């Protein structure tokens, strides 16, 4: 399993970012996918998951933590083996390293070696 995240940056509160995750080494189209994040000094926090059959942000099979619901949208492109996280109305509390993971909310697996992408929300 290889997951390569990108798209992180420093933005001001209220700004937007779109994270991408390129997946390889497993059958992507039948795998649920998840985004998690880890803020400095804190544990890993689940952010959002998307089921294997979902084709867009408004179809069934997407789940969001309450802290991001209505601001973040998870989506996927099975033709490209990629999963995305559109983040709008960013808050300072969203600052973290974001990782994508294979699996759904209850069973996602983070690779032992992972890069992540840094999102910093600061005025």
């Amino acid at each position: 399993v290889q997951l390569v995240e990108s798209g992180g940056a420093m933005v001001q509160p209220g700004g937007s970012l779109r994270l991408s995750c390129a997946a390889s080494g497993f059958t992507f189209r039948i795998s649920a996918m998840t985004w998690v994040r880890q803020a400095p000094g804190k544990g890993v926090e689940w952010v959002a998951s998307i089921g294997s059959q979902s084709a867009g942000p408004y179809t069934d099979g997407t789940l969001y933590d309450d802290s991001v619901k209505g601001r973040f949208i998870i989506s996927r492109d099975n033709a490209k083996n990629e999963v995305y996280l559109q983040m709008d109305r960013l808050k300072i509390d969203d600052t973290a390293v974001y990782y994508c993971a294979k699996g759904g909310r209850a069973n996602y697996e983070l690779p032992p070696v992972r890069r992540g992408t840094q999102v910093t929300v600061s005025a």
Side-chain angles (χ1 to χ4, degrees), residues 11-16 87-92 121:
V11 297
Q12 293 184 339
S16 296
M87 306 188 296
D88 298 322
R89 304 198 306 277
L90 282 160
K91 303 177 181 179
I92 291 176
V121 185

Side-chain angles (χ1 to χ4, degrees), residues 3-110:
L3 301 166
V4 180
E5 303 91 344
S6 62
M10 178 179 289
V11 297
Q12 293 184 339
S16 296
L17 284 174
R18 185 180 189 239
L19 306 185
S20 299
C21 171
S24 61
F26 62 100
T27 307
F28 179 81
R29 70 181 187 280
I30 64 172
S31 297
M33 295 296 295
T34 287
W35 283 97
V36 299
R37 64 187 180 186
Q38 188 167 23
K42 296 186 177 181
V44 173
E45 176 187 27
W46 172 76
V47 175
S49 296
I50 185 167
S52 61
Q53 298 301 319
S54 295
Y58 301 109
T59 57
D60 292 337
T62 59
L63 296 172
Y64 300 92
D65 183 78
D66 285 345
S67 66
V68 307
K69 195 175 296 182
R71 300 188 298 120
F72 291 10
I73 297 174
I74 187 171
S75 61
R76 64 190 297 157
D77 186 333
N78 289 340
K80 294 183 178 179
N81 282 13
E82 293 184 348
V83 61
Y84 311 102
L85 188 68
Q86 176 67 41
M87 306 188 296
D88 298 322
R89 304 198 306 277
L90 282 160
K91 303 177 181 179
I92 291 176
D93 287 348
D94 294 320
T95 295
V97 179
Y98 284 70
Y99 303 95
C100 64
K102 175 178 176 288
R105 178 182 183 182
N107 63 353
Y108 66 84
E109 300 171 359
L110 282 170

